[in-house]
Amino acid sequence: MTGEQPINLVFSAIKTILPNIVMKNPVNKVTTEILPYRQYAELLSLGLDFNQKKMKLKNTLRAGTVDAFFGMGIYKTGISMSGQILNEDDQLIDPGQLYTDTVDLDNFTMDPTCVKLTESTFFGDRIRVPRQTLMDMNGVNKDLVRQLPSYQVKSGSDSGVSTITQTPLRSESMQNLQDYVYVVEVWVPKANAVVLIPDPHVKMFDDFISIKEYYGPDDGPYTFEILTPDVPGNPLPIAPVGVWYDLAQAANRMFKKTMDQADRQKDVMVFDPAQSDTAQDILDGADGEFIASNDPKSVQVLNLGGQRRENEQMTASLQNWFNYMSGNPDQMGGLKDDAGSATQADIMYSNANVGIEDTKGIIYDVAADISGKQAWYMMNDPLLDQVLCKRQPGDEQIQVQLTPEQRSGDFLDYAFTIIPRSMVVINPMIRSKRLIEFTTNLLPAAANTAMLMLQMGQPFDLPGYLTLMADELDITAEVQYLFNDPNFEARLELIMSAGPQPAGKGTAVTPAGVKQNHGFPGKKKIKSLSGETNSQRQQGGARAQEVHDGNRSTY
């Protein structure tokens, strides 16, 4: 926006890395070691998936991951007031609204004397709230609420990222619509309490605005996302962008210097005053025109300024170093490949993928922690009533319901995980290739294996095996409906009525044929993406050759 970052390498790196980590909502898997509780665990998984789709948790995770690149991603999970009151057993209850949102590092507070996050005696965050909302809350010191100063853009510590797009004029306009104030909500684990105090940079009181018992999971409302190893003796992590920033600044300074040199580049004509008429004729002459001159050397064109090639090379070198320090995002995004061979390119991509997989693991653990907090509120909600859809084997779908009466066991009896690769979208070409390989190679081979196992008297779960392979290929949703055949029973009865048939000569569909051919003979070699690309190029060349040969035959 200001021209200070003509090549924003930090933005480019994050924009490339983020889609490789989070592209869709997570798929939850709730497990338990207690067998009678497993049905409820499955229902809880469906309920979490349903709620997280409604609240668009994917967008929250992406925003928190961007915060983690600049310092630390902080998520807060809890129950917000819904604005309506229900009468339940003669008690007025606010059903609340489950939420998970990010907390800006500018608004976050913690124990400044701790050396680990887990050892902090309190956590809190500053929030902007309408004054009337505080006045309507129970257990609030309303006299202190009335003394809180109204929200202003440039008041006290309010000079963080959020003020970039705000001006005092806009703040005054919003103030006329609704009176906002700043308060800090602090969670104190040892006291199991939540305290509300004013923003100490704006106003300080001798008493709390409110103090109440904390309602939520034992580990509190906050979830932290940290992408770098812990710093010994310090609770705050090293920001990944902080490691890249100096290289990004140096590359931009060199790029701006090169552009400034290019802007200063100019061609001027110098001449002997005695040859002024000749110089004017040259200036007015058309392209290719002949101009007579007694002394052509007295009129010359000088080239001044211009960028230097060394500066361009330095800029490219700084970009390469930035790419190296940030985990090779150019390789991930397919923007650059310095590999000399396909094998070297695969090695470079695998090395770049190690960092991505580590980051994925961190974010999946964060998402699982958020799901656990949300599940606590769902398990303790007396008004929970969710209608869900459960998919059965064979793509059959049944209606199920999640209610408080179905709760089994305690919250600590369950473990919460995120299904691997559930937050990543597969390229359509790769998905098509996997489906073709599954149906062409894996499915027939598995069917022959099942027949061999049956003849040997060895149990073999064919649907379970195919489901496992589909899960590994991440195509379960696409192939589940393949095993739903309404006419299967009729065809099976027809085959059984024919009775046993002679084995005859080994064919591709019999165990004898498999043995004779040292494996399933119907196996097809599936081209890789690079092989498919090369094949298409060769087909284009072949068509061009056919056209050329056709043109020659007409003469």
Side-chain angles (χ1 to χ4, degrees), residues 33-46:
E33 295 299 322
I34 304 175
L35 294 180
Y37 297 170
R38 291 191 173 179
Q39 184 177 2
Y40 180 71
E42 187 176 2
L43 288 176
L44 198 56
S45 302
L46 296 174

Side-chain angles (χ1 to χ4, degrees), residues 78-86 93-99 215 377 381 383:
I79 296 288
S80 63
M81 292 190 302
S82 65
Q84 60 181 4
I85 300 297
L86 301 181
I93 299 176
D94 186 339
Q97 179 66 41
L98 183 63
Y99 74 90
Y215 175 76
Y377 289 103
D381 184 0
L383 304 177

Side-chain angles (χ1 to χ4, degrees), residues 63-69 71-75 102-103 105 223-226 237 366:
T65 302
V66 173
D67 287 344
F69 278 110
M72 180 170 59
I74 307 170
Y75 304 87
T102 57
V103 176
L105 195 57
T223 301
F224 303 100
E225 179 181 339
I226 299 174
V366 168

Side-chain angles (χ1 to χ4, degrees), residues 79-117:
I79 296 288
S80 63
M81 292 190 302
S82 65
Q84 60 181 4
I85 300 297
L86 301 181
N87 191 330
E88 184 75 13
D89 296 332
D90 295 331
Q91 290 185 350
L92 297 179
I93 299 176
D94 186 339
Q97 179 66 41
L98 183 63
Y99 74 90
T100 295
D101 204 356
T102 57
V103 176
D104 196 296
L105 195 57
D106 292 335
N107 295 329
F108 182 68
T109 183
M110 58 181 290
D111 181 3
T113 63
C114 69
V115 295
K116 291 183 180 179
L117 279 174

Side-chain angles (χ1 to χ4, degrees), residues 7 65 130 199 273 468:
I7 48 172
T65 302
D199 181 2
L468 176 62

Side-chain angles (χ1 to χ4, degrees), residues 125-336:
D125 64 290
R126 183 179 60 171
I127 55 178
R128 191 184 70 152
V129 60
R131 191 190 303 270
Q132 189 59 45
T133 301
L134 293 177
M135 297 294 292
D136 295 338
M137 291 174 58
N138 294 326
V140 172
N141 190 327
K142 294 180 173 50
D143 292 334
L144 296 182
V145 173
R146 294 188 186 95
Q147 298 178 40
L148 290 174
S150 298
Y151 165 78
Q152 297 293 334
V153 169
K154 294 183 178 180
S155 61
S157 64
D158 194 13
S159 57
V161 178
S162 61
T163 62
I164 294 177
T165 56
Q166 299 178 1
T167 65
L169 180 61
R170 293 175 183 170
S171 172
E172 184 178 351
S173 300
M174 290 301 300
Q175 197 68 38
N176 294 332
L177 295 175
Q178 190 159 12
D179 186 13
Y180 284 97
V181 296
Y182 261 151
V183 293
V184 179
E185 189 176 55
V186 181
W187 171 58
V188 185
K190 295 294 184 181
N192 194 34
V194 175
V195 178
L196 206 63
I197 62 174
D199 181 2
H201 294 91
V202 178
K203 187 77 173 179
M204 296 187 68
F205 296 138
D206 295 331
D207 196 5
F208 300 122
I209 295 177
S210 75
I211 180 170
K212 59 183 179 181
E213 183 180 0
Y214 169 66
Y215 175 76
D218 292 340
D219 54 352
Y222 298 101
T223 301
F224 303 100
E225 179 181 339
I226 299 174
L227 302 181
T228 54
D230 293 339
V231 179
N234 197 304
L236 297 180
I238 296 175
V241 171
V243 179
W244 319 336
Y245 185 73
D246 291 339
L247 285 170
Q249 289 291 94
N252 276 279
R253 287 197 304 268
M254 188 57 62
F255 186 83
K256 287 180 62 179
K257 183 176 181 179
T258 303
M259 294 303 299
D260 291 340
Q261 290 178 345
D263 290 338
R264 291 196 301 267
Q265 189 273 333
K266 58 183 177 181
D267 293 334
V268 295
M269 185 170 62
V270 295
F271 57 91
D272 187 346
Q275 298 292 328
S276 57
D277 293 338
T278 302
Q280 186 63 41
D281 292 340
I282 293 173
L283 183 63
D284 298 336
D287 182 38
E289 183 179 349
F290 291 88
I291 298 175
S293 175
N294 294 328
D295 186 9
K297 293 184 179 180
S298 64
V299 181
Q300 296 184 6
V301 177
L302 296 182
N303 184 282
L304 303 176
Q307 71 272 25
R308 299 183 60 181
R309 184 173 297 275
E310 293 84 355
N311 291 342
E312 296 177 11
Q313 294 173 350
M314 184 62 182
T315 303
S317 178
L318 288 169
Q319 286 182 281
N320 286 334
W321 276 104
F322 178 90
N323 185 55
Y324 168 75
M325 293 298 294
S326 58
N328 202 3
D330 288 351
Q331 182 78 14
M332 299 176 210
L335 304 176
K336 186 178 182 181

Side-chain angles (χ1 to χ4, degrees), residues 225-537:
E225 179 181 339
I226 299 174
L227 302 181
T228 54
D230 293 339
V231 179
N234 197 304
L236 297 180
I238 296 175
V241 171
V243 179
W244 319 336
Y245 185 73
D246 291 339
L247 285 170
Q249 289 291 94
N252 276 279
R253 287 197 304 268
M254 188 57 62
F255 186 83
K256 287 180 62 179
K257 183 176 181 179
T258 303
M259 294 303 299
D260 291 340
Q261 290 178 345
D263 290 338
R264 291 196 301 267
Q265 189 273 333
K266 58 183 177 181
D267 293 334
V268 295
M269 185 170 62
V270 295
F271 57 91
D272 187 346
Q275 298 292 328
S276 57
D277 293 338
T278 302
Q280 186 63 41
D281 292 340
I282 293 173
L283 183 63
D284 298 336
D287 182 38
E289 183 179 349
F290 291 88
I291 298 175
S293 175
N294 294 328
D295 186 9
K297 293 184 179 180
S298 64
V299 181
Q300 296 184 6
V301 177
L302 296 182
N303 184 282
L304 303 176
Q307 71 272 25
R308 299 183 60 181
R309 184 173 297 275
E310 293 84 355
N311 291 342
E312 296 177 11
Q313 294 173 350
M314 184 62 182
T315 303
S317 178
L318 288 169
Q319 286 182 281
N320 286 334
W321 276 104
F322 178 90
N323 185 55
Y324 168 75
M325 293 298 294
S326 58
N328 202 3
D330 288 351
Q331 182 78 14
M332 299 176 210
L335 304 176
K336 186 178 182 181
D337 189 358
D338 295 330
S341 64
T343 302
Q344 187 178 356
D346 290 339
I347 293 174
M348 292 176 63
Y349 181 78
S350 299
N351 291 338
N353 206 38
V354 171
I356 286 294
E357 291 301 321
D358 179 62
T359 305
K360 281 183 184 178
I362 293 172
I363 295 175
Y364 278 47
D365 290 341
V366 168
D369 187 74
I370 292 173
S371 295
K373 288 178 168 56
Q374 293 180 355
W376 189 93
Y377 289 103
M378 293 172 63
M379 293 179 68
N380 291 276
D381 184 0
L383 304 177
L384 180 66
D385 187 4
Q386 282 189 342
V387 179
L388 306 168
C389 183
K390 178 182 177 183
R391 175 177 287 178
Q392 296 285 89
D395 202 42
E396 179 185 358
Q397 296 184 350
I398 61 173
Q399 203 79 60
V400 294
Q401 198 166 7
L402 181 61
T403 61
E405 291 75 21
Q406 293 173 308
R407 172 177 171 174
S408 302
D410 189 70
F411 173 75
L412 297 178
D413 296 328
Y414 298 89
F416 302 89
T417 57
I418 302 298
I419 294 179
R421 301 186 299 275
S422 63
M423 288 194 282
V424 178
V425 176
I426 299 179
N427 184 292
M429 292 183 61
I430 296 178
R431 187 180 295 276
S432 300
K433 177 179 176 297
R434 291 180 181 179
L435 284 170
I436 295 172
E437 188 171 359
F438 181 87
T439 54
T440 306
N441 292 344
L442 196 148
L443 190 58
N448 279 276
T449 301
M451 288 191 292
L452 284 173
M453 291 292 186
L454 183 62
Q455 292 180 0
M456 295 169 57
Q458 177 66 37
F460 180 74
D461 184 5
L462 179 61
Y465 170 76
L466 293 174
T467 301
L468 176 62
M469 294 298 101
D471 286 340
E472 289 298 319
L473 295 172
D474 200 15
I475 54 173
T476 306
E478 286 78 5
V479 302
Q480 275 187 339
Y481 73 93
L482 295 176
F483 305 100
N484 182 23
D485 184 7
N487 301 320
F488 175 74
E489 297 289 343
R491 283 205 302 271
L492 186 62
E493 290 179 2
L494 180 62
I495 294 174
M496 297 298 293
S497 64
Q501 301 295 321
K505 187 177 180 181
T507 63
V509 295
T510 63
V514 174
K515 182 177 180 181
Q516 176 181 332
N517 291 277
H518 305 287
F520 177 62
K523 180 180 179 181
K524 304 294 183 182
K525 185 176 180 180
I526 306 299
K527 297 177 182 177
S528 63
L529 290 180
S530 58
E532 189 71 32
T533 302
N534 293 334
S535 175
Q536 293 175 358
R537 292 173 180 170

